[in-house]
Amino acid sequence: MSRRIFLGTTTAALAMPAIAGLVGTARAEPRKMTLTAAPTTVSLVGGEWPDTATWAYNGTVPGPEIRVRQGDTVRVVARNNLAEPTTVHWHGIRLPNAMDGVPGVTQDAIPPGEEFLYEFEAIDAGSFWYHPHFNSPEQQGRGLAGALIVEEAEPLAVDRDVTWVLDDWLLRETAQIDDSFGHRGQMSHGGRIGNTVTVNGRIPDVFGVRAGERIRLRLINVANARSFSIDFGDLKPQIIALDGQPVRPHAPSDGSVVVAAAQRVDLVIDMEGKPGDVVQLTDGYYRGRTYEFHKLVYEATPPLRESPLDAPITLAANPLPEPVLDDSAMRQRIVLEGGAMGRFPAGAERFFEQGQFWFVNGLPDKGRKEPLIEIAKGRTCVIELVNQTSWEHPMHLHGFAFRVLTRDGVPNMRKEWLDTVLIRPRQSIEIAFVADSPGDWLFHCHILEHMAAGMSGLVRVA
Ligand code: C2O
Ligand code: CU
């Protein structure tokens, strides 16, 4: 891919329009909306590059931002205009099992030409997202993903609430999607890492800001495999939520904001520069491959205010049940093995022919008949996750948020709630959650090629 594909034209990135919900005081229940998955051609790279044939929700990449208020009922008819089955999974939001969108587990896949009604109450506020859970590497890799924003009952006082949906595409020189989905090299290494990054469906370029304004920025990583580490230059972003769940506001630990595949980070940023200033953001997650991300360009207009807005940036906690860490908790060790340069459990080779290279407690997804964990409803589950592979894995649990208790045995002071935790090679991480919602819930790596190649299992709550 030539490097011009990274440059694009000058396009200000705009927030995606919200299609449900209402701004203001008097408000009605959000209406029922339809999300139609269909092949769609969009201008992805811009400039003189040809349009790109994608698969998209409602004709846009990413799909429409769905915005509701905490406590609202989300009502979405998912219509399948693809040539293959699909579903919609609501990533990170707690909902009844039957609405979780996992084919063969919580519902039958929606056949081409048919519909399925998703309906659930948005009990948690925060930044979430949606994507298919059928043929995931390809359906998500061709563009099916969108943001689901649940506003707090009392939203933070900010001047702008902005969503950046981060995505990564593997394009050929014709700006068309490379169709090497399921390629063994991608499956057994770091997943499908692309050559073209987009923010809200556009190549990163210019993002206009105003001196003195306070922005709430929601970063949502919908890439198949890529992680981001955004360096905001002289700005001082404060992290206020991770995976939609509030945390005590803090600066990113090494200055950059890391967002692994499927994760979300909510930031509050005060634009403390002067009119006319330019701040070049960069993404340096992969060593030696740092590239220019958005350029923040201050308008020439006078500052909105002279000193940063004097308003709290701490979000109220969501109503999550607190894990009970005594003898009543169930403790389960989950060991990840396999992949390139990895160790394998005995007998692993018999699964290679089925494209299964990743193993969870000795078996790949296609080789397992039983759930990984069976737990009684209401009990606390503590998982010791052990990564014996040579790769990192953003591990995602459906249906619950979990607290991160320790990393390599060291207590985690922040004890953040996540739904997707990045585990480094040879690391072990302890997480805990209350199994308060009955059903079969997936636990899998969100590098979609790893999930498809075996790194997945079920947690059964009964
Ligand atoms: Cu984003 Cu199985 O999920
Ligand atoms: Cu993985």
Side-chain angles (χ1 to χ4, degrees), residues 55-136:
W55 294 353
Y57 289 116
N58 294 7
T60 65
V61 164
E65 177 171 302
I66 301 174
R67 202 170 251 270
V68 299
R69 184 71 57 88
Q70 188 168 17
D72 283 349
T73 299
V74 177
R75 252 185 224 102
V76 177
V77 178
R79 171 150 193 92
N80 182 8
N81 284 359
L82 302 171
E84 62 183 46
T86 193
T87 62
V88 179
H89 168 60
W90 308 93
H91 183 114
I93 199 157
R94 294 185 296 149
L95 40 56
N97 191 253
M99 296 291 115
D100 198 40
V102 181
V105 177
T106 68
Q107 68 171 96
D108 293 333
I110 311 164
E114 295 195 19
E115 300 180 340
F116 185 90
L117 174 64
Y118 293 96
E119 195 165 22
F120 55 89
E121 190 192 336
I123 52 177
D124 294 332
S127 303
F128 305 101
W129 62 294
Y130 59 90
H131 62 79
H133 225 295
F134 184 94
N135 187 16
S136 293

Side-chain angles (χ1 to χ4, degrees), residues 358 392-395 445-447 450 455:
W358 298 97
E392 51 184 32
H393 306 285
M395 297 300 297
C445 179
H446 222 290
I447 291 179
H450 292 182
M455 194 172 270

Side-chain angles (χ1 to χ4, degrees), residues 308-329:
L309 185 64
D310 182 21
I313 59 168
T314 303
L315 294 167
N318 282 316
L320 294 164
E322 190 60 40
V324 179
L325 300 172
D326 60 16
D327 289 347
S328 69

Side-chain angles (χ1 to χ4, degrees), residues 25 31 97 173 203 216 230 238 327 360 393 399:
T25 41
R31 63 189 183 281
N97 191 253
E173 288 289 348
I203 305 280
R216 175 177 183 165
I230 311 287
Q238 289 284 309
D327 289 347
V360 185
H393 306 285

Side-chain angles (χ1 to χ4, degrees), residues 267-414:
L267 304 170
V268 166
I269 311 179
D270 288 316
M271 297 300 156
E272 296 186 79
K274 304 181 302 302
D277 281 359
V278 173
V279 182
Q280 178 66 60
L281 311 189
T282 56
D283 169 18
Y285 190 81
Y286 300 96
R287 196 184 309 197
R289 291 160 69 188
T290 300
Y291 65 94
E292 292 187 348
F293 206 70
H294 270 327
K295 200 189 294 296
L296 303 189
V297 177
Y298 284 77
E299 292 170 15
T301 45
L304 204 55
R305 57 179 67 80
E306 289 306 327
S307 51
L309 185 64
D310 182 21
I313 59 168
T314 303
L315 294 167
N318 282 316
L320 294 164
E322 190 60 40
V324 179
L325 300 172
D326 60 16
D327 289 347
S328 69
M330 173 182 193
R331 289 176 192 268
Q332 176 78 47
R333 200 172 136 92
I334 292 190
V335 179
L336 309 176
E337 291 175 283
M341 297 168 283
R343 48 174 280 184
F344 285 86
E349 313 73 44
R350 69 187 193 278
F351 299 108
F352 293 172
E353 211 160 281
Q354 299 169 66
Q356 301 281 282
F357 310 119
W358 298 97
F359 297 78
V360 185
N361 286 354
L363 288 172
D365 186 46
K366 282 187 184 159
R368 187 191 318 281
K369 308 258 166 348
E370 302 299 324
L372 273 173
I373 295 178
E374 293 189 67
I375 186 167
K377 179 172 177 265
R379 198 170 170 199
T380 291
C381 185
V382 179
I383 296 177
E384 185 197 0
L385 192 57
V386 182
N387 182 3
Q388 293 184 344
T389 78
S390 301
W391 301 86
E392 51 184 32
H393 306 285
M395 297 300 297
H396 171 49
L397 176 63
H398 283 214
F400 305 92
F402 50 79
R403 272 202 196 277
V404 179
L405 302 180
T406 65
R407 287 186 168 89
D408 284 331
V410 180
N412 170 28
M413 288 312 170
R414 197 139 16 227

